Amino acid sequence: MVRRRRRSVLLLLLALTVLSPLVLYTRRLSAALNPNQRRDLPGEIVNQGRGVKASKLNALPLETVGSLKEPVGIVFSEESRESASKSTEPDSQEFLLRKAGKHKNRVLSEATAADSARSEDDDLIEQVTSKEGEDDGLATVSVDQQQITTASQQRSASEASSLENVPEQTSMENSLEGNKDGALLDTRIRNIRDLLIKAKVYLGLGAIRANPQYLKDLRQRIREVQKVLGDASKDSDLPKNANEKVKTLEQTLIKGKLMQDDCSVVVKKLRAMLHSAEEQLHAHKKQTVFLTQLAAKTLPKGLHCLPLRLANEYFLLDPSHQQFPNKEKLDDPKLYHYALFSDNILAAAVVVNSTVLNAKHPSHHVFHIVTDRLNYAAMRMWFLSNPPGKATIEVQNIEEFTWLNASYSPVLKQLESQSMIDYYFRTHRANSDSNLKYRNPKYLSILNHLRFYLPEIYPNLHKIVFLDDDVVIKKDLTSLWSIDMKGKVIGVVETCGESFHRFDRYLNFSNPVIVKNFDPHACGWAFGMNVFDLAEWRRQNITEIYHSWQKLNQDRLLWKLGTLPPGLITFWNKTLPLNRSWHVLGLGYNPHVSSRDIERAAVIHYNGNMKPWLEIGLPKFRNYWSAYLDYDQPFLRECNINP
């Protein structure tokens, strides 16, 4: 009997030990999984089986949905929670936000901790900027290069605005109030663009598109913000109602966030948008290069009119008035001689005018201009009607150089060949070159190669300065003739500040002939303003060296075309480096040329496609060129050529 009682007591105790924990845990588990309770906590993470209150995971107090402020969905580590509890300073909330920025384990509403690994993809949104359009057109995006390169450096964690990152309402309101610290510029513009990107991501999400009324409202809010943003590039350009429109869009997005709970869908959408934007950027770059090359080859209407008007006036002159004075100075080696080969009348006028106006003794300077048959009469008429002060000028027709023929010059023979014309200008043929820059008429003009025949053109001169027609002279060049050439043939300004200005940029070093004779890392230099010792040229027989290399390049295997590659080869080890202030380059393609370098320069060079006489010329550099033209001159007015 006693045994039975003992057994009953043991069984009772055993039942209590086993069943009571089950009852307790079952209650807690049902409470944790109760969907009604979960809906009451939109920004929390449900912690199953840990006994931790979800509200403790949020370092900042949650906003209610009714107040239209987005809940802060940041998960803090134990270290951050401890530091939060210890912090008693007034700015402790800002401190916590900064700490939060160091954690990438972001969550969507009701997302599990496993989804946090995907948060690295949220940074993709900072690499995309919006583009004007409708609905799906609204989802079309393009990449803003400047934002891509500077967003990570200029934006602090508390100001970053990505899809599910950092409280949008707070960061956007701060940016709309202006940059109080002055640390960042145009924060409002950047944040508005980021907000538009987020809105366009929402447009493509399935959960959002399933709600037609919300989708319609969102499209309307996007259009309103795009209209407000317009073409603004700085915060001060935004209208007064920008703040109101942006807040309305923010509130709409907060509603949309409650409809979407799948992080992977958002990441995929962002990746697709980024891929599309990169493809568009690549296409736009190619189109820009094509249009720039095309514009560089195009002759503006005014420049077409000018030679026609000048030629007409020239042939109406009496033959006795068609000659230039001071012919006796043309062969005087004691004077300062310049060679200029051009078919551009305005460009040649600027070169001559700028040289004479900056010369200490203009009467000692002699200009030798060579042009083609088409522009010969017009070029002469211009300088007859606009004489360069006391300086001497000569205009010659290249057709008069009877010694310059295909039997003497290999390059002239190549330029006149049908194979050369087909290679560069007939793009429908298989062996043609697709690069538009090579299909430029200047490459088939002997004027471009005339610089290699200076001793033959001017047999009585000992030293001469060669000038391109896209340069402007800013200082007196007289001292160039007193430079000791040290046995070198040509004085040059080297351009090897960047790796792509070395020999391997211009020559084909896969060819054994090039590899054997030249150093791929040798410093390149530029034509445009060069001093030539013609006596040393003749002594070293440089013209023959040039001919031999041109013959070797008959099949264009050593270099493609142009004058700089054969110049680098012909004058290899025969160049005298000059001070960089003599010749500053890049004004025809580089908007970042230092104004200090320009002010110190003796010659500035508009090398590149953006010539100052074209509409595509860089406006910030155009005044240096136009200052040497008199736009009140009758011929310029008749042809509507304006500064």
Side-chain angles (χ1 to χ4, degrees):
M1 193 68 180
V2 174
R3 289 182 179 180
R4 288 183 179 179
R5 288 181 180 178
R6 288 179 180 176
R7 186 179 301 174
S8 300
V9 170
L10 288 175
L11 289 175
L12 180 61
L13 292 175
L14 180 62
L16 290 173
T17 304
V18 174
L19 295 177
S20 57
L22 290 176
V23 172
L24 292 175
Y25 277 94
T26 302
R27 289 182 179 179
R28 292 187 181 183
L29 184 61
S30 62
L33 297 178
N34 191 334
N36 295 326
Q37 293 182 6
R38 288 171 58 111
R39 280 195 293 270
D40 293 336
L41 301 172
E44 295 179 342
I45 298 177
V46 179
N47 296 275
Q48 300 180 9
R50 295 186 182 182
V52 180
K53 292 184 179 181
S55 59
K56 292 184 179 180
L57 293 175
N58 290 317
L60 297 180
L62 292 176
E63 305 282 352
T64 62
V65 178
S67 65
L68 294 179
K69 289 188 177 181
E70 185 180 9
V72 182
I74 302 173
V75 179
F76 287 89
S77 63
E78 292 295 331
E79 180 183 356
S80 66
R81 289 206 302 273
E82 291 175 5
S83 63
S85 62
K86 294 178 182 179
S87 177
T88 58
E89 297 296 326
D91 58 347
S92 60
Q93 190 173 12
E94 295 180 5
F95 170 77
L96 292 176
L97 280 175
R98 290 195 296 272
K99 291 287 290 181
K102 298 179 181 179
H103 295 271
K104 290 190 175 181
N105 52 341
R106 290 296 322 280
V107 294
L108 294 172
S109 56
E110 304 181 18
T112 62
D115 290 329
S116 63
R118 301 169 183 167
S119 64
E120 296 179 359
D121 295 322
D122 291 348
D123 295 337
L124 295 172
I125 196 167
E126 296 183 1
Q127 299 178 341
V128 186
T129 58
S130 60
K131 186 177 182 182
E132 303 288 336
E134 294 284 336
D135 184 32
D136 295 325
L138 286 169
T140 306
V141 295
S142 63
V143 174
D144 185 336
Q145 287 177 291
Q146 186 175 1
Q147 277 190 300
I148 292 175
T149 57
T150 61
S152 61
Q153 299 174 355
Q154 295 183 335
R155 202 169 300 160
S156 63
S158 63
E159 292 173 321
S161 175
S162 57
L163 183 64
E164 299 294 338
N165 226 353
V166 182
E168 301 163 349
Q169 189 76 11
T170 303
S171 65
M172 185 58 68
E173 286 179 353
N174 289 340
S175 67
L176 290 173
E177 290 174 1
N179 185 14
K180 298 179 181 178
D181 300 332
L184 295 175
L185 299 177
D186 305 323
T187 306
R188 298 174 68 190
I189 294 290
R190 289 196 300 272
N191 285 336
I192 291 173
R193 287 175 177 168
D194 288 346
L195 192 66
L196 284 172
I197 295 169
K198 178 177 178 178
K200 291 174 183 179
V201 172
Y202 274 43
L203 283 176
L205 300 178
I208 302 296
R209 300 184 72 87
N211 189 330
Q213 183 58 44
Y214 176 80
L215 192 62
K216 181 180 178 181
D217 292 342
L218 181 58
R219 290 173 184 167
Q220 182 62 30
R221 301 292 87 80
I222 291 176
R223 294 189 191 99
E224 290 174 355
V225 174
Q226 286 179 332
K227 186 177 180 180
V228 166
L229 184 62
D231 297 327
S233 58
K234 52 186 179 180
D235 291 351
S236 58
D237 294 338
L238 292 172
K240 295 181 180 179
N241 64 338
N243 195 0
E244 177 185 350
K245 299 297 183 183
V246 171
K247 284 185 176 180
T248 304
L249 177 59
E250 284 182 320
Q251 293 168 358
T252 305
L253 291 179
I254 291 173
K255 295 178 182 178
K257 181 179 178 179
L258 300 177
M259 305 178 189
Q260 175 62 38
D261 58 359
D262 191 349
C263 182
S264 62
V265 173
V266 178
V267 172
K268 290 177 182 178
K269 181 67 176 178
L270 285 172
R271 284 176 174 166
M273 291 173 67
L274 180 60
H275 179 70
S276 174
E278 288 176 344
E279 288 186 340
Q280 289 182 39
L281 177 62
H282 181 67
H284 290 161
K285 283 182 176 179
K286 289 182 65 176
Q287 186 179 36
T288 299
V289 172
F290 174 84
L291 293 176
T292 302
Q293 295 284 354
L294 187 63
K297 297 193 304 178
T298 303
L299 183 66
K301 191 178 295 183
L303 294 186
H304 178 70
C305 163
L306 184 61
L308 296 178
R309 290 286 295 112
L310 288 168
N312 183 62
E313 292 295 325
Y314 179 78
F315 291 117
L316 293 176
L317 289 177
D318 186 89
S320 60
H321 296 156
Q322 293 179 348
Q323 303 302 316
F324 292 101
N326 304 321
K327 286 187 176 182
E328 67 280 0
K329 293 184 177 182
L330 297 178
D331 295 326
D332 187 349
K334 297 179 182 179
L335 300 178
Y336 309 125
H337 295 264
Y338 303 89
L340 175 61
F341 310 136
S342 175
D343 58 0
N344 189 322
I345 297 167
L346 276 188
V350 169
V351 174
V352 173
N353 291 346
S354 61
T355 307
V356 172
L357 290 174
N358 289 289
K360 295 179 180 178
H361 304 286
S363 60
H364 296 171
H365 296 260
V366 182
F367 296 90
H368 304 269
I369 299 177
V370 180
T371 188
D372 55 19
R373 178 174 56 185
L374 185 64
N375 294 281
Y376 174 68
M379 188 77 76
R380 290 181 69 89
M381 185 63 203
W382 175 268
F383 287 105
L384 286 169
S385 59
N386 300 277
K390 296 181 180 180
T392 301
I393 196 160
E394 174 189 34
V395 178
Q396 294 176 279
N397 184 355
I398 194 173
E399 302 291 337
E400 297 173 359
F401 302 156
T402 55
W403 51 269
L404 187 60
N405 50 57
S407 61
Y408 173 69
S409 170
V411 68
L412 186 59
K413 182 178 180 179
Q414 294 170 15
L415 293 177
E416 293 177 349
S417 67
Q418 190 61 42
S419 62
M420 177 72 81
I421 296 173
D422 289 350
Y423 182 80
Y424 290 107
F425 290 92
R426 300 194 177 180
T427 56
H428 60 279
R429 297 200 175 185
N431 64 342
S432 63
D433 197 291
S434 59
N435 195 330
L436 183 65
K437 76 175 184 177
Y438 294 121
R439 299 199 297 279
N440 194 315
K442 73 175 184 178
Y443 290 117
L444 293 185
S445 172
I446 190 59
L447 279 176
N448 207 37
H449 298 265
L450 210 56
R451 65 196 70 187
F452 293 102
Y453 297 100
L454 289 170
E456 288 82 0
I457 301 173
Y458 310 110
N460 299 321
L461 301 181
H462 305 317
K463 187 177 283 189
I464 196 169
V465 170
F466 168 77
L467 298 173
D468 263 338
D469 64 358
D470 55 353
V471 303
V472 172
I473 314 303
K474 298 179 74 272
K475 295 182 180 179
D476 182 33
L477 302 182
T478 301
S479 56
L480 284 173
W481 278 265
S482 61
I483 293 177
D484 181 7
M485 297 293 288
K486 301 178 182 180
K488 303 297 184 181
V489 177
I490 178 177
V492 301
V493 169
E494 295 179 333
T495 59
C496 55
E498 301 290 342
S499 59
F500 55 84
H501 283 144
R502 298 184 183 274
F503 270 46
D504 58 355
R505 169 66 176 80
Y506 305 100
L507 305 177
N508 178 18
F509 276 88
S510 64
N511 190 292
V513 177
I514 296 295
V515 173
K516 181 180 178 181
N517 290 278
F518 305 102
D519 178 8
H521 304 294
C523 195
W525 47 268
F527 278 123
M529 194 290 298
N530 308 96
V531 186
F532 286 96
D533 187 335
L534 299 184
E536 194 65 28
W537 183 315
R538 297 184 187 98
R539 191 184 69 79
Q540 297 188 31
N541 199 12
I542 299 299
T543 304
E544 187 57 36
I545 295 175
Y546 169 68
H547 284 173
S548 63
W549 281 106
Q550 282 289 357
K551 291 176 182 177
L552 289 174
N553 194 47
Q554 183 175 357
D555 297 327
R556 298 172 295 278
L557 298 178
L558 307 184
W559 69 88
K560 290 226 169 179
L561 48 71
T563 54
L564 185 55
L568 298 176
I569 289 178
T570 301
F571 299 107
W572 170 248
N573 290 331
K574 298 174 177 62
T575 60
L576 175 72
L578 303 176
N579 188 286
R580 290 183 180 271
S581 63
W582 277 112
H583 186 193
V584 171
L585 298 103
L587 278 73
Y589 70 91
N590 180 14
H592 306 296
V593 177
S594 168
S595 57
R596 181 183 176 186
D597 290 342
I598 293 175
E599 293 303 321
R600 295 173 55 190
V603 177
I604 55 176
H605 194 173
Y606 292 83
N607 58 310
N609 288 321
M610 301 178 184
K611 304 299 184 186
W613 55 84
L614 299 174
E615 290 187 5
I616 62 173
L618 295 170
K620 64 185 296 186
F621 300 140
R622 187 172 289 151
N623 288 340
Y624 295 111
W625 186 85
S626 60
Y628 294 100
L629 274 181
D630 180 10
Y631 288 95
D632 291 329
Q633 210 273 349
F635 292 114
L636 298 187
R637 290 204 311 268
E638 292 173 7
C639 291
N640 293 321
I641 298 176
N642 303 303

